[in-house]
Amino acid sequence: MARNNYTIVEYFGGEDGYRCGYCKNEKGNFSHGMWSHSMTVQDYQDLIDRGWRRSGKYVYKPIMNKTCCPQYPIRCHAVKFQPSKSHKKILKKFNKYICKGVIPKEHEVEQPMDSVCEVVGSKEPSKKMECAITNVQKELAECPAVTNVETNEADVTPTGSEPSRKEPASVSEGRTTTAPKPGIGLDPNRPPCRKAKELRKERHHQKEQMKHTSGGVSSTNPPAATKTNQTKTLEDLLTETCPDTSSHCFEVRLVPVNFEDPQFTASYEQSVALYSRYQMAIHGDDPSECSESKFRRFLCDSPLEAEHSDDGPEMGYGSFHQQYWLDGQIVAVGVIDILPTCVSSVYLYYHPDFAFLSLGSYSALREIAFTRQLQKQSPKLSHYYLGFYIHSCPKMRYKGQYRPADLLCSETYVWVTIEKCLPHLENSRYARFNTNPDEGDARVLKDVGRALVLHRRTVMPYIVYARKQKGSNDEPEVREYASLVGQNCAERILLYRA
């Protein structure tokens, strides 16, 4: 992927605690944060693989050993995913509604997606920062460039080995039999009956002889399968066809988050109204808390630059809205980022009147299937990121149901299967998942001097900047920032210096 743009950030630090949206602790939520003026998809991929996550243009990283509710990045292996019984039930319920208009009498109440407002807190640029944004954008323009068929074994009936039968009445060996009277006793034309035990011994003896004659390898043919069951894939369940007389019309549209895109702008007002309705009904927000400006800031203003690559997906990389249309109106929107190795779920909002369709779970299954579709175009794009897994908050454990899944070790930044992580989390809110005590961060900061900064329209290594700024005392802050993003990202991302 050609590097035509730079990622530019302003680092905030993370000294102050703020309200936790999960346990409601007023000052227990701690995270590092930075405002991203622009960001390449590769840089964001590397950042989320170090525990960062974006909400709008604000990118934050929980301080795991300090925050009240540790938030572990979680990803699903989309290609290997198999829907569970509960997932199949949700898909069948959805298809039943579309095809026949059947509304379930009872439905499980789903846990809502993380509320961006609660998770992020009040980290937004001040008036002074907003002025700096304009300056950064001006400086950026002038800065110099540096599927297989499965068989159900339980349904396979062996043939030709040991047919079931009723054993005839036994007769002692050596006993002579006289011809019975007509209609009475055994058939004289049949061989004399033998005990079942003797028959089993004889069969066993014959098998042993066959093994010896064939060099220890049995020459008997394997039992032929008489019945095969083809397991339905996730795609099969999602694309079950409805009759022409179906009750409802359903469609999924992928639109780029771009105000120059006609599909995005045509549906924008409807999306805003749906978001506002969702936030008030599901999260209990006041109307002032879910205004159009807030919707735009959190779910439309993305720092990701749209990019295309020869070996990437057809629609390219960047931020998108996956819209779910039902009978001509939007009933749900999944906000996603398409990155070099994953599809990252940002947020979901839906019409409260259609909660009975379990749209949270349905959209996650759709996004997993979408990831699998992209993987066929770009083989390395094989994971689906669900955001954060919060074990200390029981209602947020649902993300662990999409397996196989991994959680990110917050000390070594390696992915560990969730099955190995859960025992640690049962004992402690915060845990190191990598059990190798000698293994550390592979991209640990080694030389802060090589970190890039943007100062007065010029890109330079921090060591050059520090020499020019005699008496500057910002090295601790720059070092903290660089250690959090890692050496590789520090040498690519531009840290803005006023």
Side-chain angles (χ1 to χ4, degrees):
M1 205 180 314
R3 184 176 179 83
N4 299 318
N5 301 307
Y6 280 103
T7 295
I8 303 179
V9 300
E10 290 183 70
Y11 181 63
F12 288 131
E15 296 79 18
D16 299 328
Y18 54 93
R19 186 177 184 274
C20 175
Y22 305 107
C23 69
K24 311 306 178 186
N25 187 321
E26 291 298 327
K27 293 289 183 180
N29 198 347
F30 289 86
S31 68
H32 300 284
M34 53 190 183
W35 190 264
S36 176
H37 303 292
S38 63
M39 184 169 286
T40 66
V41 291
Q42 185 59 60
D43 285 341
Y44 186 51
Q45 178 71 69
D46 290 345
L47 287 176
I48 62 174
D49 284 334
R50 291 184 66 83
W52 292 84
R53 180 164 165 80
R54 80 171 186 89
S55 181
K57 290 190 173 184
Y58 181 72
V59 189
Y60 62 101
K61 184 182 190 301
I63 303 176
M64 300 294 282
N65 58 358
K66 188 177 180 181
T67 192
C68 53
C69 296
Q71 302 161 53
Y72 298 91
I74 181 171
R75 71 179 186 182
C76 167
H77 294 257
V79 178
K80 299 177 183 178
F81 173 79
Q82 289 290 339
S84 65
K85 285 184 179 179
S86 62
H87 294 148
K88 292 177 183 178
K89 188 176 178 181
I90 288 168
L91 295 174
K92 286 178 182 178
K93 175 177 65 176
F94 189 91
N95 290 335
K96 246 183 182 179
Y97 176 74
I98 299 300
C99 296
K100 301 178 181 179
V102 177
I103 299 176
K105 293 179 182 179
E106 296 180 2
H107 66 278
E108 296 180 4
V109 179
E110 282 194 312
Q111 296 302 333
M113 291 287 289
D114 310 339
S115 173
V116 287
C117 308
E118 291 181 340
V119 172
V120 178
S122 57
K123 302 285 187 177
E124 296 175 24
S126 62
K127 293 292 183 183
K128 184 177 179 182
M129 288 285 187
E130 288 177 358
C131 295
I133 292 172
T134 306
N135 294 335
V136 169
Q137 290 168 341
K138 288 179 180 177
E139 291 175 14
L140 176 62
E142 301 177 27
C143 70
V146 279
T147 332
N148 294 324
V149 176
E150 299 179 5
T151 57
N152 189 337
E153 293 181 5
D155 294 331
V156 176
T157 305
T159 60
S161 56
E162 196 171 340
S164 61
R165 58 185 174 271
K166 293 182 180 178
E167 297 289 348
S170 61
V171 180
S172 299
E173 221 175 329
R175 177 186 296 182
T176 58
T177 58
T178 56
K181 294 180 181 179
I184 300 176
L186 300 173
D187 184 352
N189 298 319
R190 296 182 62 182
C193 296
R194 299 166 61 190
K195 290 184 178 180
K197 184 177 181 181
E198 292 174 356
L199 293 170
R200 286 196 297 271
K201 282 184 177 180
E202 186 176 323
R203 283 194 297 269
H204 177 71
H205 182 65
Q206 289 174 350
K207 287 180 181 178
E208 289 296 319
Q209 283 185 328
M210 293 176 71
K211 284 183 181 179
H212 288 303
T213 56
S214 59
V217 180
S218 176
S219 60
T220 56
N221 293 326
T226 58
K227 182 181 177 181
T228 58
N229 283 342
Q230 183 173 346
T231 304
K232 283 190 175 183
T233 65
L234 175 60
E235 290 76 10
D236 292 334
L237 294 166
L238 282 168
T239 57
E240 284 188 354
T241 55
C242 289
D244 295 335
T245 57
S246 59
S247 301
H248 300 283
C249 180
F250 176 71
E251 181 186 2
V252 179
R253 299 177 190 172
L254 182 73
V255 297
V257 181
N258 183 348
F259 284 95
E260 295 181 2
D261 182 85
Q263 273 193 308
F264 182 78
T265 52
S267 58
Y268 181 74
E269 289 186 7
Q270 193 177 160
S271 290
V272 174
L274 180 63
Y275 165 79
S276 180
R277 189 165 187 171
Y278 170 82
Q279 291 295 132
M280 289 188 288
I282 304 300
H283 290 288
D285 285 2
D286 187 83
S288 62
E289 296 177 296
C290 42
S291 62
E292 184 272 338
S293 61
K294 199 156 196 175
F295 170 77
R296 178 190 288 251
R297 195 160 59 245
F298 282 111
L299 299 178
C300 298
D301 288 349
S302 170
L304 299 183
E305 302 286 342
E307 298 179 36
H308 285 79
S309 172
D310 292 339
D311 60 351
E314 184 181 347
M315 71 288 299
Y317 302 105
S319 298
F320 296 81
H321 282 190
Q322 197 160 40
Q323 301 173 339
Y324 298 82
W325 289 76
L326 183 66
D327 299 332
Q329 67 169 331
I330 304 176
V331 294
V333 177
V335 183
I336 59 173
D337 292 330
I338 300 178
L339 304 174
T341 65
C342 77
V343 169
S344 175
S345 175
V346 178
Y347 200 59
L348 172 83
Y349 55 96
Y350 57 82
H351 199 301
D353 291 351
F354 293 93
F356 65 88
L357 289 176
S358 304
L359 290 169
S361 298
Y362 181 82
S363 66
L365 295 169
R366 271 277 176 187
E367 288 169 6
I368 291 173
F370 179 58
T371 306
R372 288 151 69 118
Q373 177 188 334
L374 297 185
Q375 193 270 341
K376 293 177 180 178
Q377 302 173 23
S378 180
K380 63 182 179 180
L381 203 164
S382 60
H383 290 98
Y384 173 61
Y385 285 42
L386 294 96
F388 288 132
Y389 174 83
I390 307 166
H391 193 79
S392 59
C393 182
K395 70 176 184 178
M396 296 306 296
R397 295 181 185 179
Y398 71 91
K399 294 182 181 181
Q401 298 172 358
Y402 301 91
R403 300 193 183 185
D406 302 322
L407 298 183
L408 186 69
C409 176
S410 57
E411 295 183 15
T412 60
Y413 302 112
V414 297
W415 294 95
V416 181
T417 58
I418 193 170
E419 289 82 3
K420 293 181 179 179
C421 301
L422 294 182
H424 296 289
L425 296 177
E426 290 295 334
N427 296 325
S428 173
R429 288 192 172 200
Y430 171 72
R432 171 191 166 110
F433 298 142
N434 190 337
T435 55
N436 183 354
D438 298 325
E439 191 169 347
D441 176 9
R443 298 183 177 183
V444 65
L445 179 67
K446 296 177 180 178
D447 185 358
V448 69
R450 293 175 62 86
L452 290 183
V453 300
L454 175 65
H455 178 64
R456 292 185 178 179
R457 303 183 181 183
T458 306
V459 177
M460 64 186 79
Y462 176 72
I463 190 171
V464 176
Y465 165 81
R467 287 173 187 159
K468 292 183 176 181
Q469 303 295 313
K470 295 180 180 178
S472 174
N473 59 355
D474 66 349
E475 184 176 336
E477 178 185 295
V478 176
R479 183 176 292 277
E480 181 182 68
Y481 148 80
S483 66
L484 293 169
V485 301
Q487 184 73 44
N488 290 17
C489 282
E491 293 182 21
R492 295 198 311 259
I493 296 175
L494 306 186
L495 177 64
Y496 181 69
R497 301 281 86 186

